[in-house]
Amino acid sequence: MFPPRFYTPEARSWHTAPQTPWDLPPETAYHALVRRVLPGNPIRLFDGAGREWEGVVVAVGRRTVTVDALQPVTPLPEPPTPRVLATALLPAERLDWVVQKGTELGMTHWVPLVTARSQVGFDAARAEKKRRHWQQVAANACAQCGRATVPEILPVTPLTAFAERLAEWVTPPITWFWLQPGATSVAKRAPPMGGVVLLVGPEGGWHPEEERYFAQHEAVALGLAPWVLRAETAAVAALAQTAVWWSQ
């Protein structure tokens, strides 16, 4: 059982110039106070980039928390290669759930996609605000599940521009898999070399032009079950089932 864990990106600068004792940044202190930490309690901080420390609370004020004796700890292992989840836009609460569960299941990048049959529109004016919100959802999920590396939440991207943008985000080799009911299942496929992209369409399915786009990029159709899954269920099931490739 972990001590209470808190996402603290400011720990990156603390790491380069350690101070002891250290007053936690205001946002981290707020969350620690909500968790009712007390002097003498152990506490863990992670910076979201793969580093983690454990220390002890030495003082608690109305709005401040001071820690001391911070020592590095070995973080839990991360996937050895990129695991990119790209999902068609869905209603907001369902996308939050996808980001949360995807983080728990080891995705390294998440891309919200604009597809021909996306269920919701894309508001460009609010795009960055939504991206920051999803990034915080991922950070909160890391605090709960024990990961020290927060997945990267990438901008809303039209599927037609996905290949070009993907080359900016991850290093090849990487194999694309697009989810399609009735296609060959994970259990019958050999683990791919390098990273994977899992493309999850809207509940209206992929448009024929999008399927041709996948063919142009040598994407592989992947089946999860003999029946049709909701989009958010398919996203989580795909990550869970392909985790066996990572374990191998």
Side-chain angles (χ1 to χ4, degrees), residues 55 78 167 208 230:
E78 285 289 313
R230 292 182 65 136

Side-chain angles (χ1 to χ4, degrees), residues 5-42:
R5 300 176 75 248
F6 300 96
Y7 173 52
T8 312
E10 295 87 350
R12 298 170 196 169
S13 57
W14 176 89
H15 176 71
T16 61
Q19 306 170 31
T20 54
W22 186 44
D23 291 334
L24 294 182
E27 185 170 352
T28 304
Y30 169 79
H31 290 294
L33 291 169
V34 169
R35 294 284 297 274
R36 299 182 183 277
V37 299
L38 297 171
N41 288 169

